[in-house]
Amino acid sequence: MCLTGSFPTELCKLVNLTIIELDENRLSGSIPPEIGNCKALQRLTFPINFFTSELPKEVGNLTELVVFNISFNKLGGRIPPEIGCCKRLQRLDLSQNNFCSELPNEIGTLMQLEVLILSNNKLLGRIPSILGNLSRLTELQMGGNQFSGGIPRELGWLSSIQIAMNISHNSLSGTIPPELGNLALLEYLLLNNNQLTGEIPSTFVDLSSLLGLNLSCNHLSGPIPSFSLLQNLTSSSFLGNEALCGEPLPSCHRFSTLSSSTDSRSSGYPIGEIVAIIFAAIGGLSLVLIAVILFFLRLPVEAVAPLHDTQFSSAESGFCILPKDGFKVNDLVTATNYFDEDFVIGRGASGTVYKAILKSGLPVALKKLTSNREGSSMENSFRAEILTLGKIRHRNIVKLYGYCYHEGSNLLLYEYMSRGSLERAASWKILQFRLEYKVYDSSWGCTWALLSAPRLQASNHSPRYQIKQHSS
């Protein structure tokens, strides 16, 4: 059954009372100043209750007090400095309350104090350096407050501290004093969640009894001292310190590279960045240039070589690639009177050749190939042959001016040879008649064209043609 109500002031009339223990009840209200009348009290504990208001200064009258525990209540305000009068005090626990003042220096005069627990309040200001005089202190718990400033180096004088030193979750700054390395009996050191800077002191090698260390969530830097005591700890003991490196954290080599880069930026000479940008730009331009070159290398030749300025006309009858003179396929049809027999100058297995005189007066030979069954699109092989013929230039090979597709037929536009075919020139009578005009030059020219054929076939698209003595 839990006690309720307020603190029983009648207890204070018992002047010889040495122990008051009211732990874990539902007592509330304030602690009455009459508590100071119990001058024989050696043990006063009432943790886990609902006491409020401030701790009365009359507690300083309890000069025989050895244990004072009022943790887990709702007490607030300041800690009365009169508590320093309790010179026999060995255990003081004010944790889990709402005390919001600075820690009075008088606590540092309690020379018999062995356990000091002030954690999870709202205590502020600096940690009094006088706490270093508590030579019998075995446990110091001050975490979860609002202490600021540096860690007093005098805490390194607590030679008897053994159980723990916890000053985590405050706003402490500055470096870790190397004097903490003197705490040879200390088992747990908790400095995490502060704003500490600098390196971990090498004197920590002397913390021979250390079982746990937490330095996480600070601003520490540099390498973790290379001794087994620290390197055997888990990485969670050091996390949250961006510039801290070495076992059990990643190697310091990476951090030295980052540091050099940071120094370069801060000095106004970001050499690494400039070099990286230059190489990236060069690499990007090279890739673009290669892509452009490959694009043009892969482009098919879409125009016959001799037709320097070709025109494409897409009429309903088909398409046409013709010389730059600019005539249309209808001009060819009209010039041959719709491919009338009167204009035929030759026939062959592949088609019929017509003579056509264009509007400009230029005579041409128009070869109409056999009907294409594929409708309005030319075969790829035919296109490749036309493109190759357009590139060939030889005095004994007829020039190809252009080609068209018209109403199901492929039309080839050649240079008109007014003197007829080789067959005609090779007949004996004509050869005898023409000897003085060196007709044999044509035969030599034909031979030269045959010798040139391998070079013309160097292209993958170069066709292989039969050599005939007539033009059709």
Side-chain angles (χ1 to χ4, degrees), residues 130-312:
I130 195 173
L131 295 183
N133 294 336
L134 303 176
S135 58
R136 294 193 177 188
L137 198 65
T138 61
E139 181 178 4
L140 176 61
Q141 299 281 357
M142 303 178 69
N145 282 286
Q146 300 175 16
F147 289 116
S148 58
I151 300 175
R153 63 184 183 89
E154 288 80 4
L155 295 185
W157 300 348
L158 300 174
S159 57
S160 297
I161 195 164
Q162 177 180 356
I163 299 174
M165 177 183 289
N166 180 3
I167 51 178
S168 64
H169 292 276
N170 282 285
S171 298
L172 299 171
S173 59
T175 59
I176 300 174
E179 287 80 4
L180 295 186
N182 299 330
L183 307 178
L185 300 177
L186 185 62
E187 296 179 353
Y188 291 93
L189 177 59
L190 307 178
L191 307 179
N192 54 289
N193 293 88
N194 282 288
Q195 300 174 20
L196 301 174
T197 57
E199 298 186 355
I200 299 175
S202 59
T203 56
F204 276 19
V205 69
D206 298 324
L207 298 175
S208 55
S209 301
L210 200 63
L211 300 177
L213 171 67
N214 195 342
L215 302 176
S216 62
C217 300
N218 280 287
H219 303 293
L220 300 175
S221 59
I224 296 174
S226 56
F227 51 88
S228 59
L229 183 64
L230 296 184
Q231 294 180 344
N232 290 335
L233 296 172
T234 62
S235 60
S236 61
S237 299
F238 305 99
L239 293 178
N241 296 281
E242 295 182 357
L244 201 61
C245 59
E247 291 293 336
L249 296 180
S251 170
C252 291
H253 175 71
R254 178 171 66 91
F255 286 92
S256 62
T257 304
L258 292 175
S259 177
S260 299
S261 176
T262 303
D263 291 343
S264 298
R265 288 194 296 268
S266 62
S267 61
Y269 300 98
I271 299 175
E273 286 188 3
I274 292 175
V275 172
I277 292 173
I278 290 175
F279 276 103
I282 293 174
L285 290 175
S286 300
L287 289 176
V288 172
L289 182 60
I290 292 173
V292 170
I293 293 174
L294 291 177
F295 173 77
F296 282 105
L297 288 178
R298 290 176 176 270
L299 279 179
V301 181
E302 293 296 338
V304 180
L307 309 180
H308 298 291
D309 296 315
T310 59
Q311 299 180 14
F312 292 85

Side-chain angles (χ1 to χ4, degrees), residues 34-42 44 57-66 68 82-83 85-89:
E34 288 82 358
I35 191 69
N37 296 331
C38 301
K39 296 182 179 180
L41 275 179
Q42 297 179 9
L44 176 60
K57 64 179 181 179
E58 283 77 9
V59 297
N61 297 334
L62 306 178
T63 56
E64 302 296 321
L65 198 60
V66 176
F68 187 25
E82 287 80 3
I83 200 171
C85 298
C86 304
K87 301 298 184 180
R88 294 180 179 269
L89 202 58

Side-chain angles (χ1 to χ4, degrees), residues 365-367 369 382 386 400 402-404 410-414:
L366 181 63
K367 186 171 185 178
L369 302 182
F382 173 72
I386 295 303
L400 175 65
Y403 63 91
C404 296
N410 293 317
L411 306 178
L412 298 178
L413 188 63
Y414 286 103

Side-chain angles (χ1 to χ4, degrees), residues 424-440:
R424 179 182 176 187
S427 64
W428 174 252
K429 290 183 180 180
I430 296 176
L431 181 61
Q432 186 178 21
F433 180 79
R434 301 279 188 179
L435 278 177
E436 60 179 307
Y437 295 104
K438 299 182 182 180
V439 175
Y440 59 87

Side-chain angles (χ1 to χ4, degrees), residues 435-452:
L435 278 177
E436 60 179 307
Y437 295 104
K438 299 182 182 180
V439 175
Y440 59 87
D441 285 346
S442 297
S443 300
W444 168 249
C446 186
T447 304
W448 178 255
L450 290 173
L451 292 174
S452 303

